[in-house]
DNA sequence: GAGTTTGAAACT
DNA sequence: CAGTTTCAAACTC
């Protein structure tokens, strides 16, 4: 490439310099004899050998990056900036879809090519255009992969990145790219404006195409995943081929496969994008390809997705930025805000968490999903921190569901964290867990199935819930939606999905902060560990990916003040160990609710009957920790009047009524349902029968629970707690059945855990209100216990865990 | 949609 | 640690 020339050029000056009188003089002063430039030249040569453009580019990229950030900030602050980023994400997602389609071909080689192509595309975009954003990320990834000692192989990182992109749903991970792209594309965007506008029109017409795309992609993935896994393996093994081009891969696929049926269609999707793009730009495309594609497109009238595909696929050969820009616009409209926002939101935090978790290893089958997530993180140059998937032996170790706080505290067991993350991701991200799982290279079927199962489980859950639009996290909803998509293509379902999405979105965290800049716990988004998104009507919001540093710093600060600040406010009984004591469950079962508010409320006028009351809002009864006056909490009164099981049941009934309004109850109902499902794993999940056992188990913790809005700390940190550990805040009740069965084993473990982790004091009731904050240690501990609870479920499914948990 | 109420969070 | 202030959600009209 260019490197050799550059090297020579560089070398030349050096040699001249050596010959210069000044140099000689300096040499004379120094006792050390200068070595001639040859070695230096060699160095460059060596670099040349590596010849990874990424290496050279990366520095530039990095340099640009700073600039990019500045730009971002400028743009991002405006609400639109976020949209652009989102769009970008979508674009990436679309690409991912295209990739998936290509994967369907079952040709691992093709898949590899695709991956390579995807990588190359980014590189290409970098070199020619010099567009900072898009380029930046990949180069870095490459760089890290190649250079970082920890990284076993570049391919992995690359693969991860690809996977991320592939996960159409996971757009969140892609976000960084998107933003970059959007920025880069400014120039190009203008050029393509017309095309974009056209696309937008198409989008409007198409309506749900995006979803259909996703669903289609999922379906394909599901069916073909085995191949994919193989392909992934191959990819992993295979070293990156920077030179490979996406177009090439597409062409190859096309030529290789005279595709029939779906494969063709997929091809069309993937290829069509580039084609379409070219056509729009008036660029010359490969003739044969174009014609064929057109035909295909015609055949498939419904593939309005072309727009998306185009955007998604992006024309590698051409400026990515253009495609991105166009796609972004198009994608924006298509993609439900939920997905976008959620994805982005969560991802960033995740990423942060990852950063903090340097130790995360990831090879376990379960980790597969994590890898995908990590890939996402890597996009933002997180690769540095990321450990090679293969490295970590820890997979076995029981992870602690961490919330960001926990992450900071210590290196966490990779697996659990990953799992949690995955779950979180699945929730948060519109992308179904299945997507993520698909990408896992090593996981082979298992991971996929797991993810699928989880998704399926969610689906199952959802259907039940369907009728009851619960206040769910948008993330959950999104995940659910995704899951649905995979299986359900019927228009009704889609509509429902859409509706749900809308509802979920409404349920999704939104803030209206005006003075806090969304950097205080006043802000629900911030408190939940989630970035603010479009739906938020906040002012001067700093809780955006752009201000990641600020957000993190603020979080740290707040955490330093109150380690539990970002912990879920409501803790399940089992999870709540720190406060109530794990053993208490039996005893605690007598308490009004299985869950309790972390700190307790301080209500004086609301009688704990309104959402002003955090306990009530969380769907939990008041406890000793509460300092409320005139408590009438329907979920359980402070005095314990409601504590009895029978009462609890009544309350549940009442709650169901109440909750319908509040939106909390539905969750509970769901949980119950989920429990039933868990009991009968096979019943619900059609997709992956075998793996149900695991997913089912896990799901309860992760995905199934749809904590009440306030409770649901969607954010990574909180999300971890909420969803995984403490998770189920509102769910708490649902647990009764679930817990009772599951806990039999778990609870046994719990005591040990408590002993090991929690201070003796925590054992029973950390009643004192003050203790609320005292818990920091507990929190940490609590996190682990909560994990266990989560683990518990997992453990049942997985034999190995039990042994591990006791250790704690 | 504006205004009020409420209680958590933040501050002193 | 207690008291006060600030803040934004929840609620009411």
């Amino acid at each position: 490439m260019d490197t050799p020339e550059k090297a020579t050029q560089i070398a030349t000056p050096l040699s001249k310099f050596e010959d210069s009188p000044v140099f000689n003089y300096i040499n004379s002063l120094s006792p050390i004899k200068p070595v001639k430039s040859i070695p230096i030249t060699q160095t460059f040569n060596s670099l040349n050998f590596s010849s990874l453009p990424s290496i050279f580019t990366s520095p530039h990229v990095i340099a640009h990056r700073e600039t990019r950030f500045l730009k971002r900030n400028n743009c991002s602050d405006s609400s639109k900036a976020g949209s652009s980023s989102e769009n970008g994400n979508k674009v990436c997602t679309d690409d991912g879809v295209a990739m998936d389609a290509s994967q369907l071909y079952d040709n691992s080689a093709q898949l590899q090519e695709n991956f390579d192509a995807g990588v190359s595309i980014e590189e290409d975009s970098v070199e020619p255009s010099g567009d900072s954003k898009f380029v930046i990320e990949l180069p870095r990834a490459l760089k890290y992969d190649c250079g970082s000692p920890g990284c076993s192989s570049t391919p992995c990182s690359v693969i991860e990145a690809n996977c991320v992109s592939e996960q159409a749903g996971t757009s969140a991970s892609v976000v960084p790219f998107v933003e970059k792209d959007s920025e880069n594309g400014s120039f190009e965007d203008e050029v393509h404006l017309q095309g974009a506008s056209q696309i937008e029109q198409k989008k409007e017409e198409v309506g749900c195409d995006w979803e259909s795309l996703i669903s289609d992609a999922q379906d394909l993935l599901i069916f073909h995943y085995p191949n994919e896994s193989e392909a992934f393996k191959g990819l992993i093994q295979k070293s990156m081929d920077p030179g490979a081009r996406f177009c090439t891969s597409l062409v190859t696929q096309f030529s290789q496969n005279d595709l029939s049926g779906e494969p063709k269609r997929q091809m069309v999707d993937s290829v069509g994008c580039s084609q379409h793009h070219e056509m729009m730009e008036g660029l010359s495309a490969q003739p044969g390809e174009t014609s064929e594609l057109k035909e295909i497109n015609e055949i498939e009238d419904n593939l309005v997705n072309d727009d998306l595909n185009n955007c998604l696929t992006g024309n590698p050969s051409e400026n990515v930025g253009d495609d991105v820009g166009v796609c972004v616009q198009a994608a924006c409209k298509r993609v439900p805000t939920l997905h976008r926002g959620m994805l982005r939101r969560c991802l960033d935090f995740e990423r942060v968490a990852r950063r903090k978790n340097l130790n995360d290893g990831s090879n376990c089958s379960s980790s597969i999903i994590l890898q995908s997530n990590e890939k996402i993180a890597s996009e933002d140059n997180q690769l540095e921190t990321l450990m090679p998937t293969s490295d970590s032996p820890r997979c076995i170790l029981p992870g602690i569901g961490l919330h960001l706080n926990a992450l900071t505290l210590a290196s966490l067991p990779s697996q659990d964290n990953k799992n949690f993350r995955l779950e979180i991701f699945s929730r948060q991200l519109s992308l179904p867990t299945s997507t993520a799982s698909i990408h896992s290279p090593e996981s082979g079927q298992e991971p996929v199935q797991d993810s699928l199962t989880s998704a399926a489980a969610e689906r199952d859950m959802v259907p039940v819930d369907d009728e009851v639009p619960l206040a769910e996290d948008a993330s959950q909803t999104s995940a659910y939606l995704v899951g649905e998509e995979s299986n359900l293509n019927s228009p009704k379902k889609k509509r429902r999905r859409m509706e749900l999405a809308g509802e979920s979105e409404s349920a999704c965290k939104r803030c209206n902060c005006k003075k806090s800049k969304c950097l205080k716990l006043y802000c629900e988004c911030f408190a939940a560990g989630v970035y603010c998104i479009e739906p938020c009507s906040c002012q001067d919001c700093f809780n955006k990916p752009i201000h990641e540093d600020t957000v993190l710093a603020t979080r740290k600060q707040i955490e330093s003040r109150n380690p539990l600040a970002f912990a879920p406010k409501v803790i399940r009984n089992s999870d709540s160990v720190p406060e109530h004591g794990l053993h208490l469950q039996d005893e605690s079962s007598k308490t009004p609710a299985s869950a309790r508010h972390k700190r307790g409320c301080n209500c004086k006028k609301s009688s704990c009957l309104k959402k002003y009351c955090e306990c009530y809002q969380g769907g939990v009864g008041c406890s000793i920790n509460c300092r409320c006056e005139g408590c009438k909490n329907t979920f359980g009164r402070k005095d314990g009047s409601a504590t009895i099981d029978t009462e609890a049941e009544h309350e549940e009934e009442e709650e169901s009524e109440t909750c319908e309004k509040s939106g909390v109850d539905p969750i509970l109902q769901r949980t119950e349902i989920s429990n039933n499902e868990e009991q009968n794993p096979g019943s619900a999940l059609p997709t992956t029968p075998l793996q149900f056992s695991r997913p089912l188990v896990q799901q309860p913790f992760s995905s199934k629970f749809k904590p009440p809005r306030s409770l649901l700390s969607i954010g990574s940190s909180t999300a971890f707690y909420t969803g995984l550990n403490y998770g189920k805040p509102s769910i708490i009740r649902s647990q009764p059945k679930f817990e009772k069965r599951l806990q039999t084993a778990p609870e046994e473990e719990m005591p040990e855990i408590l002993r090991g982790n929690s201070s003796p004091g925590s054992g029973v009731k950390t009643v004192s209100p003050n203790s609320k904050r005292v818990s920091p240690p507990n929190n940490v501990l609590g996190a682990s216990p909560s994990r266990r609870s989560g683990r518990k479920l997992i453990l049942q499914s997985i034999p190995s865990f039990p042994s591990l948990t006791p250790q704690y």
Side-chain angles (χ1 to χ4, degrees):
Chain A
M1 317 251 288
D2 295 345
T3 51
E5 295 179 358
K6 291 180 180 177
T8 57
Q9 291 177 352
I10 295 168
T12 305
L14 289 175
S15 63
K16 289 181 179 178
F17 179 78
E18 289 178 358
D19 294 343
S20 69
V22 175
F23 186 82
N24 292 336
Y25 174 74
I26 294 170
N27 288 339
S28 65
L29 294 176
S30 171
I32 300 170
K33 292 292 179 182
V35 178
K36 287 271 176 171
S37 59
I38 296 170
I40 297 170
T41 306
Q42 287 178 347
T43 308
F44 283 100
N45 290 341
S46 64
L47 291 177
N48 292 341
F49 276 100
S50 63
S51 78
L52 295 179
S54 62
I55 295 171
F56 287 99
T57 54
S58 60
H60 296 287
V61 172
I62 293 168
H64 288 288
R65 192 181 184 187
E66 295 297 329
T67 308
R68 171 188 73 186
F69 269 108
L70 295 176
K71 290 178 181 178
R72 261 199 203 166
N73 291 340
N74 296 340
C75 300
S76 63
D77 277 340
S78 62
S79 60
K80 291 181 179 180
S83 65
S84 66
S85 65
E86 291 176 358
N87 292 342
N89 292 339
K90 290 179 179 181
V91 171
C92 293
T93 302
D94 291 356
D95 288 347
V97 173
M99 294 295 292
D100 293 342
S102 65
Q103 290 176 352
L104 292 178
Y105 294 93
D106 295 347
N107 200 330
S108 62
Q110 291 178 349
L111 292 176
Q112 291 177 349
E113 289 179 355
N114 288 341
F115 280 101
D116 293 347
V119 173
S120 66
I121 290 167
E122 292 174 354
E123 289 178 354
D124 292 349
S125 64
V126 173
E127 290 180 356
S129 62
D131 290 355
S132 57
K133 295 176 182 178
F134 195 86
V135 174
I136 294 166
E137 298 292 357
L138 288 177
R140 264 191 165 187
L142 293 174
K143 178 183 180 179
Y144 285 108
D145 292 345
C146 298
S148 66
C151 296
S152 61
S153 64
T154 13
C156 295
S157 64
V158 172
I159 291 167
E160 290 179 352
N162 291 340
C163 292
V164 171
S165 64
E166 287 182 358
Q167 297 175 354
T170 56
S171 60
S173 63
V174 177
V175 174
F177 285 98
V178 174
E179 290 179 355
K180 296 174 181 180
D181 294 349
S182 63
E183 292 179 358
N184 291 343
S186 62
F187 170 79
E188 293 174 356
D189 288 346
E190 291 178 358
V191 174
H192 298 283
L193 286 178
Q194 293 178 347
S197 62
Q198 293 176 353
I199 292 168
E200 289 180 354
Q201 291 176 350
K202 287 182 179 179
K203 291 178 182 176
E204 292 177 354
E205 291 177 356
V206 173
C208 301
D209 288 348
W210 173 267
E211 291 179 355
S212 64
L213 267 179
I214 295 170
S215 63
D216 291 348
Q218 289 180 347
D219 291 347
L220 293 174
L221 292 174
I222 294 169
F223 287 101
H224 299 279
Y225 73 87
N227 293 339
E228 289 179 356
S229 63
E230 293 177 357
F232 279 97
K233 290 179 181 178
L235 290 174
I236 294 169
Q237 293 175 351
K238 181 181 180 179
S239 61
M240 286 185 55
D241 182 1
R245 285 198 172 190
F246 183 74
C247 293
T248 304
S249 65
L250 291 176
V251 172
T252 304
Q253 292 176 353
F254 190 90
S255 63
Q256 287 180 349
N257 300 332
D258 281 357
L259 303 174
S260 62
E262 287 184 357
K264 233 180 184 177
R265 177 185 180 184
Q266 292 175 349
M267 287 291 293
V268 172
D269 291 345
S270 63
V271 174
C273 297
S274 62
Q275 178 185 0
H276 180 76
H277 182 75
E278 289 178 353
M279 291 182 66
M280 292 181 65
E281 291 182 354
L283 298 177
S284 65
Q286 296 175 354
E289 183 179 352
T290 306
S291 63
E292 289 181 356
L293 292 175
K294 287 181 179 179
E295 291 178 356
I296 295 168
N297 289 337
E298 291 177 355
I299 292 169
E300 296 179 355
D301 294 344
N302 293 339
L303 292 180
V304 179
N305 299 335
D306 289 348
D307 301 344
L308 294 177
N309 292 336
N310 293 337
C311 296
L312 295 176
T313 310
N315 195 342
S317 62
E318 297 178 4
N319 292 344
V320 175
D322 296 350
D323 294 348
V324 172
V326 174
C327 294
V328 170
Q329 293 176 349
C332 291
K333 291 182 178 179
R334 284 194 180 182
V335 178
T337 52
L338 247 181
H339 296 283
R340 295 185 245 153
M342 292 307 294
L343 294 178
R344 264 215 278 131
R345 287 170 148 190
C346 301
L347 289 179
D348 285 4
F349 278 141
E350 289 281 336
R351 181 183 29 151
V352 172
R354 289 178 189 168
R355 287 182 181 177
K356 292 182 179 179
N357 284 346
L358 297 179
N359 295 341
D360 289 359
S362 59
N363 263 344
C364 302
S365 60
S366 61
S367 68
I368 294 167
I369 295 168
L370 294 176
Q371 289 179 349
S372 65
N373 291 338
E374 288 181 356
K375 293 176 180 179
I376 293 167
S378 65
E379 288 179 356
D380 272 9
N381 303 331
Q382 302 309 330
L383 294 177
E384 303 169 355
T385 58
L386 295 178
M387 297 294 289
T389 56
S390 61
D391 292 325
S392 67
R394 296 180 215 142
C395 299
I396 298 168
L397 296 177
I400 296 169
L402 300 179
H403 121 334
L404 292 181
N405 296 336
L407 292 176
T408 358
L409 295 177
S411 65
L412 297 175
S414 60
Q415 247 195 346
D416 292 354
N417 291 342
K418 291 178 179 179
N419 289 339
F420 285 105
R421 289 179 182 179
L422 291 177
E423 290 178 356
I424 294 168
F425 272 171
S426 61
R427 290 183 191 172
Q428 295 176 340
L429 299 181
S430 60
L431 294 181
T433 54
S434 62
T435 341
S437 64
I438 292 166
H439 300 288
S440 66
E442 292 179 355
S443 61
Q445 293 179 347
E446 265 199 325
V448 172
Q449 287 177 349
D450 289 347
S451 62
L452 292 176
T453 51
S454 63
E458 286 183 356
R459 281 182 227 149
D460 294 349
M461 292 300 293
V462 174
V464 174
D465 295 345
D466 240 356
E467 300 303 324
V468 181
L470 300 180
E472 307 161 353
D473 284 1
S475 63
Q476 290 178 347
T477 305
S478 65
Y480 160 67
L481 291 175
V482 174
E484 261 190 348
E485 286 179 358
S486 64
N487 288 343
L488 304 177
N489 291 335
S490 67
K492 286 184 179 180
K493 298 265 178 177
K494 286 183 180 179
R495 288 179 185 175
R496 233 184 206 185
R497 236 186 282 149
M498 296 300 292
E499 292 177 358
L500 289 176
E503 291 178 358
S504 65
E505 196 153 347
S506 62
C508 162
K509 295 222 179 235
R510 295 177 193 166
C511 68
N512 190 28
C513 305
K514 295 177 180 177
K515 295 181 179 179
S516 67
K517 296 179 179 179
C518 299
L519 289 178
K520 294 190 176 181
L521 293 176
Y522 296 129
C523 176
E524 285 192 359
C525 298
F526 180 79
V530 181
Y531 286 125
C532 291
I533 55 176
E534 291 179 359
C536 295
S537 55
C538 46
Q539 299 175 1
D540 297 334
C541 178
F542 277 75
N543 186 28
K544 293 184 177 180
I546 298 168
H547 302 290
E548 175 185 352
D549 294 342
T550 302
V551 172
L552 293 177
T554 305
R555 281 179 68 97
K556 266 193 175 182
Q557 185 179 353
I558 294 172
E559 287 177 357
S560 65
R561 209 189 302 150
N562 175 17
L564 295 180
F566 293 96
K569 291 179 180 177
V570 176
I571 300 172
R572 269 199 322 166
N573 223 356
S574 58
D575 292 351
S576 64
V577 172
E579 293 180 355
H580 294 285
L582 297 178
H583 297 283
L584 294 181
Q585 265 198 337
D586 295 345
E587 296 176 356
S588 66
S589 61
K590 295 176 182 179
T591 61
S594 58
R596 288 288 181 279
H597 189 272
K598 176 177 64 180
R599 292 173 48 188
C601 65
N602 192 29
C603 305
K604 293 178 180 177
K605 295 181 179 179
S606 66
S607 300
C608 301
L609 288 175
K610 296 189 176 182
K611 282 193 172 181
Y612 296 127
C613 175
E614 289 192 351
C615 295
Y616 180 86
Q617 192 177 34
V620 300
C622 291
S623 64
I624 299 172
N625 293 340
C626 298
R627 289 154 288 174
C628 50
E629 298 176 359
C631 177
K632 295 180 181 178
N633 188 337
T634 57
F635 294 96
R637 295 178 187 175
K638 173 185 175 182
D639 55 5
S641 61
T643 54
I644 299 170
D645 293 350
T646 56
E647 287 182 358
E649 291 177 357
H650 287 292
E651 288 178 355
E652 286 182 355
E653 293 177 357
E654 292 177 356
E655 287 176 357
S656 62
E657 295 175 357
T658 315
C659 294
E660 287 180 355
K661 293 179 181 178
S662 65
V664 173
D665 292 358
I667 296 169
L668 295 176
Q669 292 176 351
R670 288 183 183 178
T671 55
E672 290 179 354
I673 295 165
S674 64
N675 294 341
N676 293 340
E677 288 178 356
E678 290 176 355
Q679 293 173 354
N680 300 334
S683 62
L685 309 177
T687 345
T688 52
L690 296 178
Q691 295 179 346
F692 282 110
S693 60
R694 262 197 202 171
L696 290 177
V697 173
Q698 290 177 346
Q699 288 176 348
F701 293 98
S702 62
S703 59
K704 287 182 180 179
F705 292 88
K706 301 181 176 179
R709 175 185 177 187
S710 62
L711 295 179
L712 300 178
S713 53
I714 298 166
S716 60
S717 63
T718 316
F720 281 96
Y721 263 119
T722 315
L724 299 178
N725 303 336
Y726 297 86
K728 318 181 178 179
S730 61
I731 299 163
I732 298 166
R733 292 183 180 177
S734 63
Q735 288 182 347
K737 295 178 182 178
F738 179 72
E739 284 182 353
K740 287 178 182 177
R741 293 184 181 179
L742 294 178
Q743 286 178 348
T744 57
E747 285 188 345
E748 292 176 358
E749 293 176 356
M750 291 303 291
E752 293 177 353
I753 295 167
L754 292 176
R755 294 170 189 172
N757 291 345
S758 62
S759 61
S762 65
V764 179
K765 299 175 180 178
T766 58
V767 177
S768 66
N770 294 342
S771 64
K772 298 171 183 178
R773 292 194 178 181
V774 173
S775 46
N778 290 345
N779 288 344
V780 173
L781 296 176
S784 63
S786 63
R787 284 184 198 165
R788 287 177 187 166
S789 63
R791 287 280 167 177
K792 294 175 184 178
L793 296 177
I794 295 169
L795 290 176
Q796 288 180 346
S797 62
I798 302 168
S800 63
F801 270 105
S803 61
L804 295 176
T805 43
Q807 292 176 352
Y808 285 88

